[in-house]
Amino acid sequence: MLRTSEMPHDPGPPSQTIPDRDIGARADAIQRFELAVIEGSASGARYQSDGQVATIGSHALCSLVVADPTVSRFHCEIRLGEDGAHVRDTGSLNGTVVDGVRIVEGYLRSGTVLRLGRTAIRFDFAPTAGRLVLSESRRFGELIGESTAMREVFAYLERLAPTNATVLLEGETGTGKTAAARSLHQASPRGSGPFVMVDCGAIPPNLLESELFGHERGAYTGADSRRIGAFEEASGGTLFLDEIGELPGELQPKLLGVLENRSVRRIGGSGAIPVDVRLIAATNRDLRSEINASRFRPDLYFRLAVVRVELPPLRRRPEDIPLLATELLTRLGAAPDRLASLLDDAMVARLTRFAWRGNIRELRNYLERSLVFDDLPMQEGTAPSAPAPIDAALAFSDARSRAIADFERTYLAALLERHGGRVAEAAAAAGIDRTYFYRLLRRHGLATR
């Protein structure tokens, strides 16, 4: 899902213009909606959707900009889905009220009135349909899918690839943001240059500045030699900043300065070093909510969100699961007869019904374990796991606790070994929050490096 940011005060250089051509793409009709401010200081302002998502707020990047001090910078978001239109409050100060009821998320119908602070906005479905551009391809680099949601993403990535536009990839954990960044790089004119990735959430804040910008010898205690930072290392190629929402507040203005000046200053250095990089950032956080909570700088968001692309969660594209499962098992080395036995009609139906809260990463982990343990049990709300030995002499609760502990210990040890003891990488591969992952390791007495 593409969100092209309107930046009237900063259109950017010509090299960031996204071409209008849609080679190998087709357009499908989509429902549209209209918003009209009927009360408040912005009364009379109107907006008609050109996609499936719109943001309302006082910030210039919003779809409908409402100049009202009681309206948060990113107040709420309206999204069209197969089940209709719904609105979600994005952490606003004064809340979002739908037909007199304050909501976090709720459905909309034509004629619904939204109240945001002192502003009232009427929602209506538009009488005419819009056009949704879809790629004819079922693949973009490492990404695959045949659903409408993914072919819409592919169409925009195909248009973005030949440009130098800064891209913000959004989506839940495990939806393929890293694969999308690599694929964009590989399909771009910079594809022969370096692709450098920095996980802003996996590096301690005191080391992240050096990781990004580098340092000179003697810049601080322990700086025994000069270090080239990620911006310099990626020069001529692409720099991918994963989990940009985890960037500490003290580093945000420094990153903004690099993006504005296209130059970097190493820690302890005296001169600015020009850098030529294309920046792609990714987050599983809602940065608009982070801005409302004063945890993320709006001017940095302005620079990062030149183009926003949302990777849809697996539950919104279940028709892609058979294709994904076949691709993942093939990558894991499954022979054709093994593929056929694992992906029979009953198994595919079960895979399609499962929630997959960890998205593609969880699906891959389950398929990898299935390859070893055959058909594993699946329980709604929990990730599938390998069966543990049972001691029938124990009470049920004791046997259950022991089986879970045995599985956790065995799985975590194998996962750490597979990833060379790198905890952040292992947690990401397992689809587990890093804090919870550390807690599990401590619980089972597993040493980490």
Side-chain angles (χ1 to χ4, degrees):
M1 194 75 63
L2 180 78
R3 321 275 180 260
T4 305
S5 302
E6 298 178 3
M7 303 201 304
H9 305 297
D10 185 9
S15 61
Q16 292 190 325
T17 301
I18 301 172
D20 290 330
R21 62 182 185 278
D22 292 308
I23 299 173
R26 64 183 179 83
D28 280 11
I30 59 167
Q31 177 70 64
R32 301 172 74 176
F33 59 89
E34 298 173 339
L35 301 171
V37 180
I38 58 175
E39 184 181 320
S41 58
S43 185
R46 304 184 68 88
Y47 169 80
Q48 185 173 80
S49 68
D50 55 3
Q52 294 174 291
V53 179
T55 306
I56 305 172
S58 58
H59 196 280
L61 288 183
C62 290
S63 309
L64 175 61
V65 180
V66 179
D68 179 341
T70 65
V71 173
S72 295
R73 284 175 285 198
F74 296 94
H75 201 106
C76 63
E77 174 185 87
I78 294 175
R79 179 186 295 272
L80 288 178
E82 293 181 358
D83 55 349
H86 56 99
V87 59
R88 180 176 65 87
D89 186 87
T90 51
S92 67
L93 180 62
N94 292 317
T96 300
V97 177
V98 176
D99 288 338
V101 179
R102 182 164 179 168
I103 56 94
V104 174
E105 186 164 359
Y107 285 92
L108 301 174
R109 51 181 170 75
S110 280
T112 294
V113 175
L114 304 172
R115 285 201 170 271
L116 286 58
R118 292 193 292 266
T119 293
I121 301 171
R122 179 186 170 98
F123 169 91
D124 287 290
F125 287 107
T128 57
R131 308 300 292 174
L132 184 66
V133 178
L134 304 179
S135 172
E136 295 289 352
S137 176
R138 300 195 305 173
R139 179 185 295 272
F140 179 81
E142 301 175 26
L143 301 174
I144 61 171
E146 55 190 1
S147 62
T148 297
M150 283 307 290
R151 287 190 295 123
E152 182 189 6
V153 169
F154 294 165
Y156 289 123
L157 293 178
E158 288 162 1
R159 294 170 62 193
L160 283 168
T163 75
N164 279 321
T166 300
V167 179
L168 178 62
L169 300 172
E170 299 176 308
E172 298 174 8
T173 296
T175 49
K177 297 185 292 293
T178 299
R182 278 197 300 262
S183 300
L184 264 177
H185 168 72
Q186 292 160 3
S188 74
R190 296 173 175 265
S192 59
F195 177 80
V196 178
M197 174 179 169
V198 176
D199 186 340
C200 299
I203 301 172
N206 61 320
L207 300 179
L208 186 55
E209 183 176 4
S210 175
E211 182 75 22
L212 290 172
F213 311 128
H215 65 250
E216 297 289 354
R217 180 180 179 182
Y220 52 83
T221 303
D224 299 327
S225 61
R226 170 185 287 177
R227 175 186 176 88
I228 301 299
F231 271 93
E232 287 183 77
E233 188 181 349
S235 195
T238 301
L239 175 59
F240 174 47
L241 299 183
D242 197 12
E243 301 301 348
I244 191 68
E246 307 292 337
L247 190 69
E250 62 269 21
L251 291 186
Q252 292 179 23
K254 296 181 180 180
L255 176 58
L256 177 62
V258 172
L259 297 181
E260 289 181 337
N261 301 319
R262 294 292 166 177
S263 63
V264 66
R265 189 186 303 273
R266 299 186 192 127
I267 302 173
S270 57
I273 303 167
V275 289
D276 171 28
V277 299
R278 181 191 193 169
L279 184 69
I280 301 175
T283 181
N284 61 8
R285 290 177 179 264
D286 188 337
L287 293 185
R288 296 161 301 180
S289 296
E290 295 297 295
I291 290 172
N292 289 340
S294 299
R295 290 190 293 264
F296 202 86
R297 291 178 62 107
D299 48 1
L300 177 57
Y301 179 79
F302 194 88
R303 280 290 177 181
L304 294 173
V306 175
V307 180
R308 296 167 48 217
V309 179
E310 180 185 350
L311 277 296
L314 206 48
R315 64 181 175 275
R316 292 215 327 249
R317 53 185 188 108
E319 62 269 44
D320 287 339
I321 288 178
L323 185 66
L324 281 167
T326 301
E327 174 81 6
L328 292 169
L329 284 169
T330 301
R331 292 180 188 174
L332 291 168
D337 59 335
R338 193 81 170 95
L339 270 174
S341 65
L342 280 172
L343 297 180
D344 59 19
D345 291 344
M347 179 64 164
V348 169
R350 290 168 61 200
L351 292 175
T352 304
R353 287 195 302 267
F354 195 71
W356 302 116
R357 291 180 175 83
N359 293 296
I360 300 170
R361 183 177 294 136
E362 185 183 8
L363 174 63
R364 184 196 64 203
N365 292 344
Y366 173 72
L367 293 172
E368 187 171 5
R369 294 196 295 273
S370 293
L371 215 54
V372 177
F373 296 109
D374 283 321
D375 189 19
L376 297 179
M378 299 174 68
Q379 297 178 0
E380 187 63 34
T382 60
S385 59
I390 300 299
D391 183 354
L394 296 173
F396 173 79
S397 60
D398 293 338
R400 182 176 181 273
S401 297
R402 178 178 292 184
I404 292 172
D406 286 344
F407 164 72
E408 287 181 352
R409 189 180 302 108
T410 303
Y411 176 72
L412 293 170
L415 189 67
L416 282 173
E417 181 179 356
R418 178 177 183 137
H419 293 278
R422 293 182 291 275
V423 173
E425 183 179 310
I432 298 174
D433 178 78
R434 276 185 294 273
T435 302
Y436 180 61
F437 193 80
Y438 276 111
R439 190 180 307 144
L440 287 175
L441 294 177
R442 288 194 297 271
R443 178 188 303 168
H444 296 290
L446 295 174
T448 61
R449 295 193 295 273

